[in-house]
PDB file of all heavy atoms in Angstrom:
ATOM      1  N   CYS Z  90      -2.009  23.067  78.150  1.00 98.00           N
ATOM      2  CA  CYS Z  90      -2.366  23.814  76.949  1.00 98.00           C
ATOM      3  C   CYS Z  90      -1.496  23.367  75.781  1.00 98.00           C
ATOM      4  O   CYS Z  90      -0.290  23.161  75.942  1.00 98.00           O
ATOM      5  CB  CYS Z  90      -2.186  25.303  77.192  1.00 98.00           C
ATOM      6  SG  CYS Z  90      -2.630  26.318  75.778  1.00 98.00           S
ATOM      7  N   HIS Z  92      -0.590  25.071  73.321  1.00 97.00           N
ATOM      8  CA  HIS Z  92       0.270  26.133  72.781  1.00 97.00           C
ATOM      9  C   HIS Z  92       1.673  26.042  73.381  1.00 97.00           C
ATOM     10  O   HIS Z  92       2.641  25.792  72.673  1.00 97.00           O
ATOM     11  CB  HIS Z  92      -0.355  27.509  73.049  1.00 97.00           C
ATOM     12  CG  HIS Z  92       0.497  28.640  72.588  1.00 97.00           C
ATOM     13  ND1 HIS Z  92       0.754  29.744  73.356  1.00 97.00           N
ATOM     14  CD2 HIS Z  92       1.168  28.830  71.426  1.00 97.00           C
ATOM     15  CE1 HIS Z  92       1.536  30.569  72.691  1.00 97.00           C
ATOM     16  NE2 HIS Z  92       1.795  30.042  71.520  1.00 97.00           N
ATOM     17  N   MET Z  93       1.784  26.236  74.686  1.00 97.00           N
ATOM     18  CA  MET Z  93       3.097  26.171  75.323  1.00 97.00           C
ATOM     19  C   MET Z  93       3.071  25.423  76.650  1.00 97.00           C
ATOM     20  O   MET Z  93       4.000  25.541  77.452  1.00 97.00           O
ATOM     21  CB  MET Z  93       3.662  27.585  75.524  1.00 97.00           C
ATOM     22  CG  MET Z  93       3.963  28.292  74.212  1.00 97.00           C
ATOM     23  SD  MET Z  93       4.589  29.964  74.428  1.00 97.00           S
ATOM     24  CE  MET Z  93       6.247  29.626  74.989  1.00 97.00           C
ATOM     25  N   GLY Z  94       2.014  24.692  76.891  1.00 97.00           N
ATOM     26  CA  GLY Z  94       1.990  23.802  78.041  1.00 97.00           C
ATOM     27  C   GLY Z  94       1.520  24.400  79.348  1.00 97.00           C
ATOM     28  O   GLY Z  94       1.607  23.742  80.392  1.00 97.00           O
ATOM     29  N   CYS Z  95       1.019  25.596  79.353  1.00 98.00           N
ATOM     30  CA  CYS Z  95       0.514  26.188  80.604  1.00 98.00           C
ATOM     31  C   CYS Z  95      -0.679  25.382  81.120  1.00 98.00           C
ATOM     32  O   CYS Z  95      -1.365  24.715  80.350  1.00 98.00           O
ATOM     33  CB  CYS Z  95       0.081  27.633  80.365  1.00 98.00           C
ATOM     34  SG  CYS Z  95       1.441  28.798  80.263  1.00 98.00           S
ATOM     35  N   CYS Z 106      -6.845  28.781  79.231  1.00 98.00           N
ATOM     36  CA  CYS Z 106      -5.420  28.982  79.518  1.00 98.00           C
ATOM     37  C   CYS Z 106      -5.205  30.463  79.862  1.00 98.00           C
ATOM     38  O   CYS Z 106      -5.536  31.341  79.065  1.00 98.00           O
ATOM     39  CB  CYS Z 106      -4.580  28.603  78.307  1.00 98.00           C
ATOM     40  SG  CYS Z 106      -2.819  28.863  78.592  1.00 98.00           S
ATOM     41  N   CYS Z 108      -2.300  31.862  80.264  1.00 97.00           N
ATOM     42  CA  CYS Z 108      -1.046  32.413  79.722  1.00 97.00           C
ATOM     43  C   CYS Z 108      -1.301  33.291  78.506  1.00 97.00           C
ATOM     44  O   CYS Z 108      -0.855  34.427  78.452  1.00 97.00           O
ATOM     45  CB  CYS Z 108      -0.094  31.283  79.357  1.00 97.00           C
ATOM     46  SG  CYS Z 108       0.591  30.485  80.815  1.00 97.00           S
ATOM     47  N   HIS Z 109      -2.020  32.752  77.524  1.00 96.00           N
ATOM     48  CA  HIS Z 109      -2.289  33.534  76.314  1.00 96.00           C
ATOM     49  C   HIS Z 109      -3.748  33.398  75.882  1.00 96.00           C
ATOM     50  O   HIS Z 109      -4.082  33.580  74.728  1.00 96.00           O
ATOM     51  CB  HIS Z 109      -1.360  33.101  75.169  1.00 96.00           C
ATOM     52  CG  HIS Z 109       0.074  33.006  75.567  1.00 96.00           C
ATOM     53  ND1 HIS Z 109       0.723  31.809  75.779  1.00 96.00           N
ATOM     54  CD2 HIS Z 109       0.977  33.978  75.841  1.00 96.00           C
ATOM     55  CE1 HIS Z 109       1.973  32.032  76.153  1.00 96.00           C
ATOM     56  NE2 HIS Z 109       2.153  33.333  76.206  1.00 96.00           N
ATOM     57  N   TYR Z 110      -4.594  33.013  76.834  1.00 95.00           N
ATOM     58  CA  TYR Z 110      -6.054  33.072  76.667  1.00 95.00           C
ATOM     59  C   TYR Z 110      -6.619  32.133  75.598  1.00 95.00           C
ATOM     60  O   TYR Z 110      -7.633  32.457  74.983  1.00 95.00           O
ATOM     61  CB  TYR Z 110      -6.506  34.514  76.420  1.00 95.00           C
ATOM     62  CG  TYR Z 110      -5.992  35.416  77.509  1.00 95.00           C
ATOM     63  CD1 TYR Z 110      -4.953  36.302  77.270  1.00 95.00           C
ATOM     64  CD2 TYR Z 110      -6.497  35.309  78.798  1.00 95.00           C
ATOM     65  CE1 TYR Z 110      -4.441  37.080  78.293  1.00 95.00           C
ATOM     66  CE2 TYR Z 110      -5.985  36.090  79.823  1.00 95.00           C
ATOM     67  CZ  TYR Z 110      -4.963  36.977  79.557  1.00 95.00           C
ATOM     68  OH  TYR Z 110      -4.452  37.735  80.564  1.00 95.00           O
ATOM     69  N   SER Z 111      -5.999  31.013  75.397  1.00 98.00           N
ATOM     70  CA  SER Z 111      -6.638  30.012  74.538  1.00 98.00           C
ATOM     71  C   SER Z 111      -7.795  29.374  75.293  1.00 98.00           C
ATOM     72  O   SER Z 111      -7.764  29.259  76.528  1.00 98.00           O
ATOM     73  CB  SER Z 111      -5.640  28.930  74.132  1.00 98.00           C
ATOM     74  OG  SER Z 111      -4.785  29.411  73.131  1.00 98.00           O
ATOM     75  N   LEU Z 125      -4.058  31.425  71.056  1.00 95.00           N
ATOM     76  CA  LEU Z 125      -2.917  31.076  70.213  1.00 95.00           C
ATOM     77  C   LEU Z 125      -2.784  29.587  69.938  1.00 95.00           C
ATOM     78  O   LEU Z 125      -2.060  29.191  69.033  1.00 95.00           O
ATOM     79  CB  LEU Z 125      -1.631  31.587  70.864  1.00 95.00           C
ATOM     80  CG  LEU Z 125      -1.540  33.112  71.021  1.00 95.00           C
ATOM     81  CD1 LEU Z 125      -0.245  33.499  71.702  1.00 95.00           C
ATOM     82  CD2 LEU Z 125      -1.657  33.790  69.670  1.00 95.00           C
ATOM     83  N   ALA Z 126      -3.436  28.762  70.717  1.00 96.00           N
ATOM     84  CA  ALA Z 126      -3.316  27.319  70.503  1.00 96.00           C
ATOM     85  C   ALA Z 126      -4.012  26.920  69.202  1.00 96.00           C
ATOM     86  O   ALA Z 126      -5.119  27.376  68.918  1.00 96.00           O
ATOM     87  CB  ALA Z 126      -3.929  26.564  71.671  1.00 96.00           C
TER      88      ALA Z 126
HETATM   89  S1  LIG V   1       0.292  28.433  76.719  1.00 87.27           S
HETATM   90 FE1  LIG V   1      -1.863  28.415  76.552  1.00 87.27          FE
HETATM   91  S2  LIG V   1      -2.311  29.915  75.095  1.00 87.27           S
HETATM   92 FE2  LIG V   1      -0.163  29.969  75.271  1.00 87.27          FE
END
Side-chain angles (χ1 to χ4, degrees):
C90 181
H92 177 227
M93 294 179 74
C95 283
C106 179
C108 288
H109 312 105
Y110 306 107
S111 283
L125 297 179

